[in-house]
């Protein structure tokens, strides 16, 4: 009986030292560290100790909220209107994607649809596009271009509508 009381008293002192050391740590780290020792102590200690630790958790919660409000969530970025502006394709590009004005994103989608429909993506190196007769005009006579080079070549065939 006496040894059980001593070990319980020793556990209280150790818990007190841990909690004072945790108060010095930043709020985010302290909240994460308190969760694990609290579970261990609750399993070992009687219900009274677990009840005594419960207010400590509640005190840590406002610190978390304060930290969260400091770094407010970033605002959602607005779309760049230049990217959504309709662009008029040249005659060479119109043979591939159509003649009506469309945003750059739609131009890229249309070109990729054409590439996949006609099986023009290189089978060995998927980053390369093999040009057919229509695309050779757009690609400046090149037989094969990389997908990164393709965007620069296509942009030369677009004008503001």
């Amino acid at each position: 009986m006496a040894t059980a009381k001593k070990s319980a008293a020793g556990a209280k002192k150790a818990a007190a030292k841990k909690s004072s050391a945790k108060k010095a740590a930043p709020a985010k780290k302290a909240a994460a560290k308190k969760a694990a020792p609290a579970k261990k102590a609750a399993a070992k200690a009687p219900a009274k100790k677990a009840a005594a630790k419960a207010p400590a958790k509640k005190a840590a919660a406002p610190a978390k909220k304060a930290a969260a409000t400091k770094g407010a969530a970033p605002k959602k970025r607005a779309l760049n209107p230049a990217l959504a502006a309709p662009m008029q394709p040249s005659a060479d590009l119109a043979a591939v994607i159509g003649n009506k004005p469309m945003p750059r994103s739609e131009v890229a989608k249309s070109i990729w649809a054409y590439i996949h429909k006609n099986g023009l993506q290189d089978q060995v190196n998927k980053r390369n596009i093999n040009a057919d007769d229509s695309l050779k005009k757009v690609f400046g006579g090149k037989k094969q271009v990389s997908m990164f080079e393709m965007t620069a070549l296509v942009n030369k065939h677009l004008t503001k509508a």
Side-chain angles (χ1 to χ4, degrees):
M1 199 79 182
T3 56
K5 287 183 180 178
K6 286 181 182 177
S7 65
K12 283 183 183 177
K13 289 180 183 178
K17 286 181 183 178
K18 286 181 183 177
S19 65
S20 65
K22 288 178 190 168
K23 288 179 185 175
K28 290 181 181 177
K29 291 182 181 177
K33 289 182 182 178
K34 281 184 183 180
K39 288 180 183 178
K40 290 179 185 176
K44 293 180 183 177
K48 290 181 182 179
K49 287 186 181 178
K53 292 209 177 215
K57 286 183 183 178
K58 289 181 182 176
K64 276 186 185 177
K65 288 180 184 175
T69 55
K70 275 185 184 178
K75 294 180 180 178
K76 194 171 183 179
R77 290 175 54 178
L79 288 176
N80 186 346
L83 296 177
M87 304 293 284
Q88 180 64 46
S90 68
D92 293 335
L93 185 58
V96 177
I97 64 169
N99 196 23
K100 60 183 186 176
M102 60 180 83
R104 289 178 195 271
S105 59
E106 292 297 320
V107 171
K109 285 180 189 177
S110 300
I111 291 173
W112 276 107
Y114 179 84
I115 290 168
H116 289 298
K117 179 179 139 190
N118 295 312
L120 299 176
Q121 195 169 8
D122 191 39
Q123 294 302 312
V124 177
N125 187 352
K126 301 270 186 189
R127 291 177 290 188
N128 289 337
I129 309 302
N130 298 321
D132 62 356
D133 293 334
S134 301
L135 282 179
K136 271 188 187 175
K137 295 175 186 173
V138 176
F139 295 162
K142 293 184 178 181
K143 193 165 63 172
Q144 188 178 55
V145 296
S146 73
M147 61 176 66
F148 305 108
E149 189 180 0
M150 178 184 72
T151 56
L153 293 170
V154 167
N155 282 337
K156 293 177 183 177
H157 290 271
L158 295 173
T159 56
K160 289 189 178 181

